[in-house]
Amino acid sequence: MKASVIGCGRWGSFIAWYLHSIGHEVTLYGREGSAHMQRFMAERSNGLVTFDETVRLTCDMVQALESEIVCISIGAQGLSSLMAQIASFGVSGKTFVLCMKGIEIGTGRRLSQIAAEAVGASNDIAVWLGPGHVQEFLAGVPNCMVIDSEREAVKERLVGVLSGGLIRFYYGTDLIGNEVGAAAKNVIGIAAGMLDGKGLSSLKGALMSRGTREVARLIRAMGGNEISAYGLCHLGDYEATVFSRYSHNRRFGEAFVCGEAYNELAEGYYTVEALCTLADRYGVDMPICRAVHALLYQGADAQEEISRLFTRSIKREF
């Protein structure tokens, strides 16, 4: 099967490597001038994955769109413009698999909504979500992930062609819950890093418990199944996001409260803005997300925000 990956960052390049490893004919697309792509063109490696000559590297979008299955792994806030570009080629009969997590700032749109509005009339849209870090996969450590789509036949086909020894896929049953949960876990990851930075790592248990509850409330208010928050898209991804040394969001949160620079993409920085928009729209109480937002966007004091969360009115846990 021919498959393309749009996005040559750490996760996108791993997906290309993984698809090739399970026997697919793979094209990896990166923007011309991208530092990642320049290195791949020169060395066929980014220091983590190395491609042999059978993997096609291209900066030509037309070539990337030749495949029947097109995986997309870019920053979530850039998806709308990318999908508009893809739509301009008049594509049809493709399956676009969104291998990224986020919610659009300003509109609160889920990523599958963005893609479907651009190209969904004659193409299928799916999401590939769940835990796992490139470094661990490449070391042979397997994990479980989720494929979800509006169409059962699309899920079944993708699980069939994407499954391999490293990844066990589950069929998603709640596109709203899976997308919102996956995006929101990055915000919880930032909060976890802030606790680490303040020497309060023992509070991560409470963070995970209460964070999952507020995300579940939002999912339910949006029309999804709140149980999804307890699945692989959110709670099941906490180890990789809340504890792992490879988690960009956790490391960003820690660096932020310590006053240190951090230059890698932490998608939760943007997601928390969108989550607060959704919380307002649906009337959902999300105190942890509000606290992270106050710290990142309003210059609030970390110790004061943590204390404020602990002095909220006492209530029943469930």
Side-chain angles (χ1 to χ4, degrees), residues 146-215:
V146 175
I147 295 290
D148 210 345
S149 175
E150 294 285 3
R151 294 185 57 214
E152 290 296 322
V154 173
K155 288 186 279 188
E156 291 176 5
R157 177 167 178 263
L158 288 175
V159 168
V161 300
L162 299 180
S163 293
L166 279 178
I167 302 177
R168 173 188 171 89
F169 283 105
Y170 285 80
Y171 297 101
T173 57
D174 175 24
L175 195 55
I176 293 174
N178 278 318
E179 288 192 87
V180 173
K185 66 94 188 178
N186 286 330
V187 177
I188 304 301
I190 290 177
M194 291 174 170
L195 291 178
D196 287 337
K198 288 297 180 181
L200 298 170
S201 301
S202 62
L203 290 178
K204 286 184 179 180
L207 172 69
M208 292 188 293
S209 175
R210 302 316 305 167
T212 305
R213 284 302 301 142
E214 69 178 65
V215 171

Side-chain angles (χ1 to χ4, degrees), residues 1 6 17 19 44 93 107 125 160 184 206 234 236 280 285 294 298 302:
M1 183 197 75
I6 295 176
W17 177 91
L19 294 176
R44 301 194 70 82
T107 67
I125 310 298
H234 188 76
D280 289 338
D285 185 28
Q298 299 165 8

Side-chain angles (χ1 to χ4, degrees), residues 280-301:
D280 289 338
R281 183 180 302 169
Y282 291 96
V284 177
D285 185 28
M286 303 189 74
I288 294 172
C289 288
R290 296 286 189 190
V292 172
H293 185 271
L295 287 164
L296 297 182
Y297 287 87
Q298 299 165 8
D301 178 77

Side-chain angles (χ1 to χ4, degrees), residues 10 133 135 189-190 192-194 196-197 241-258 260-264 266:
R10 185 174 62 169
H133 286 295
Q135 296 90 335
I190 290 177
M194 291 174 170
D196 287 337
T241 306
V242 172
F243 295 100
S244 175
R245 61 194 174 102
Y246 300 123
S247 169
H248 283 327
N249 289 282
R250 189 204 64 76
R251 289 163 61 195
F252 168 74
E254 184 174 17
F256 185 87
V257 297
C258 292
E260 300 170 357
Y262 189 74
N263 297 320
E264 299 289 343

Side-chain angles (χ1 to χ4, degrees), residues 101-142:
K101 301 160 184 175
I103 299 170
E104 188 174 53
I105 290 177
T107 67
R109 288 190 299 173
R110 293 177 285 111
L111 304 186
S112 68
Q113 291 177 306
I114 294 171
E117 288 172 17
V119 301
S122 56
N123 300 277
D124 289 314
I125 310 298
V127 297
W128 172 347
L129 305 167
H133 286 295
V134 171
Q135 296 90 335
E136 291 168 344
F137 280 129
L138 293 176
V141 179

Side-chain angles (χ1 to χ4, degrees), residues 2-7 26-30 56 58-72 81-97 119 123:
K2 289 185 178 181
S4 294
V5 180
I6 295 176
V26 176
T27 297
L28 176 64
Y29 169 88
R56 180 167 65 170
T58 186
C59 296
D60 184 343
M61 183 63 78
V62 172
Q63 291 184 352
L65 294 174
E66 290 174 356
S67 300
E68 183 180 352
I69 292 178
V70 181
C71 297
I72 299 176
S81 60
L82 173 66
M83 295 312 300
Q85 179 188 2
I86 290 172
S88 71
F89 291 97
V91 294
S92 63
K94 311 289 183 186
T95 299
F96 291 95
V97 186
V119 301
N123 300 277

